[in-house]
Amino acid sequence: MIPSMVRRELTMDVEETAESRIQRQISENPVVIFTRPACCMCHVMKRLLCAVGVHPTVIQLDDSEIPALPPSADGGSSTPAVFIGGASIGGLESLVALHLSGLLVPKLLEIGALKDTGIS
């Protein structure tokens, strides 16, 4: 095992509702992507975040769990949905816009998902 990697067990309470499980994942993980099976947009989101140095937690939801997602800024609740520091960023388009505007990395640094290496 690489010393800098920490292995965390994801826990799941069978009695837990979809809403509480989703909220728990959002609060426990700095960067979370909620997706559905075979979602190519989720793959692109994950690749973008990995390219800037973040390895997001990816949670696959059943179709019945999608409505339990908190609404995004535009009022919808669909997948893929990314949460950074507990806040809904939205879908792929919103994540790419945040990156292209130069605001993604500072946001990730702010929540501690990235370490500032001082390299420009």
Side-chain angles (χ1 to χ4, degrees):
M1 177 183 247
I2 300 171
S4 64
M5 294 181 71
V6 177
R7 184 176 179 165
R8 289 185 16 196
E9 297 293 326
L10 291 177
T11 60
M12 188 168 99
D13 181 353
V14 184
E15 302 289 322
E16 191 174 32
T17 66
E19 290 87 358
S20 62
R21 182 173 68 99
I22 288 168
Q23 286 299 329
R24 182 174 52 77
Q25 292 297 336
I26 291 169
S27 66
E28 289 178 356
N29 298 286
V31 181
V32 185
I33 298 172
F34 291 99
T35 185
R36 62 181 61 191
C39 176
C40 62
M41 291 183 291
C42 173
H43 179 72
V44 174
M45 289 175 112
K46 186 175 174 186
R47 292 284 307 240
L48 171 59
L49 289 164
C50 287
V52 298
V54 172
H55 299 283
T57 299
V58 179
I59 307 292
Q60 184 172 305
L61 299 176
D62 294 331
D63 287 338
S64 64
E65 296 173 304
I66 305 289
L69 279 171
S72 62
D74 63 9
S77 62
S78 63
T79 57
V82 65
F83 289 78
I84 298 177
S88 173
I89 300 304
L92 177 59
E93 188 174 313
S94 299
L95 182 64
V96 170
L98 193 63
H99 178 60
L100 293 176
S101 70
L103 299 174
L104 177 60
V105 169
K107 184 175 224 23
L108 294 168
L109 285 167
E110 180 184 319
I111 65 157
L114 273 179
K115 301 289 184 234
D116 189 358
T117 61
I119 300 172
S120 301

